[in-house]
């Protein structure tokens, strides 16, 4: 009877060690994902700031265009001025589309990382329950 209890104790200790290793692995992955999420959030902020700056540039260019239209007596812009305005508008539109795609990508990555963190936290809670039910008790659990 004693040898079976010792064998069971060894098995429980091994299960405890494996569960603790899993918990530590989960915590390190969670921390890594948290860092990545913070990085993506900072990239998103930078992109939003750049977008605001570009929108302001567009507004200034549109104001200049209105001033040019109002200031001309003939009412027609020169072809070179029209070309510059069209080029500025195309450049702005291309940048806006590129930044919108980047923001969408970063939001998707943040969502994926947050889901992964939730999954890791649930796995951690599950492992903690296994540890408690395996007889490890609160003293064996490291948060």
């Amino acid at each position: 009877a004693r040898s079976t209890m010792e064998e069971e104790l060894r098995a429980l200790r091994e299960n405890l060690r494996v569960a603790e290793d899993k918990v530590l692995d989960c915590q390190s992955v969670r921390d890594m994902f948290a860092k990545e999420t913070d990085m993506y959030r900072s990239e998103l902020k930078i992109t939003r700031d750049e977008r605001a700056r570009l929108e302001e540039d567009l507004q200034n260019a549109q104001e200049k265009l209105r001033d040019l239209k109002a200031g001309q007596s003939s009412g027609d812009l020169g072809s070179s001025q029209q070309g510059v305005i069209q080029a500025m508008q195309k450049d702005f539109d291309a940048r806006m589309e590129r930044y919108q795609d980047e923001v969408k990508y970063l939001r998707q990555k943040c969502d994926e990382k947050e889901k992964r963190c939730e999954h890791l936290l649930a796995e951690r809670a599950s492992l903690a329950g296994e540890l408690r039910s395996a007889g490890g008790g609160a003293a064996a659990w490291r948060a």
Side-chain angles (χ1 to χ4, degrees):
R2 182 175 183 163
S3 66
T4 58
M5 289 188 73
E6 288 175 354
E7 186 63 34
E8 186 178 331
L9 180 61
R10 266 193 292 273
L12 286 173
R13 284 185 178 156
E14 179 61 23
N15 287 343
L16 174 64
R17 188 191 62 73
V18 168
E20 286 176 338
D21 289 344
K22 283 183 181 179
V23 167
L24 291 173
D25 289 343
C26 288
Q27 288 172 340
S28 67
V29 170
R30 180 199 64 205
D31 293 343
M32 180 185 69
F33 283 136
K35 287 179 184 176
E36 286 184 21
T37 300
D38 290 341
M39 178 189 67
Y40 287 128
R41 285 187 176 137
S42 65
E43 287 180 22
L44 179 61
K45 182 189 180 313
I46 291 169
T47 303
R48 285 180 177 163
D49 293 344
E50 179 69 12
R51 178 181 175 181
R53 188 189 63 75
L54 289 172
E55 287 174 347
E56 185 178 321
D57 289 348
L58 173 64
Q59 191 175 27
N60 291 338
Q62 287 173 338
E63 287 174 11
K64 287 180 184 178
L65 175 63
R66 280 192 290 272
D67 291 345
L68 284 173
K69 284 182 178 180
Q72 282 194 331
S73 59
S74 66
D76 281 335
L77 290 175
S79 62
S80 64
Q81 289 175 333
Q82 286 179 345
V84 169
I85 291 170
Q86 288 174 353
M88 287 176 65
Q89 185 66 42
K90 283 182 183 178
D91 180 55
F92 176 77
D93 291 341
R95 284 184 187 187
M96 279 296 282
E97 185 175 331
R98 193 170 56 243
Y99 287 131
Q100 286 173 343
D101 291 343
E102 188 174 348
V103 167
K104 181 180 175 185
Y105 170 79
L106 292 172
R107 282 187 179 145
Q108 178 184 355
K109 283 295 179 185
C110 283
D111 290 344
E112 289 172 6
K113 300 296 180 188
E114 287 176 3
K115 286 179 185 175
R116 179 68 176 142
C117 286
E118 289 174 9
H119 174 75
L120 289 171
L121 289 173
E123 187 174 343
R124 178 181 177 219
S126 172
L127 290 171
E130 287 179 27
L131 280 175
R132 282 191 284 278
S133 67
W141 176 248
R142 295 186 304 213

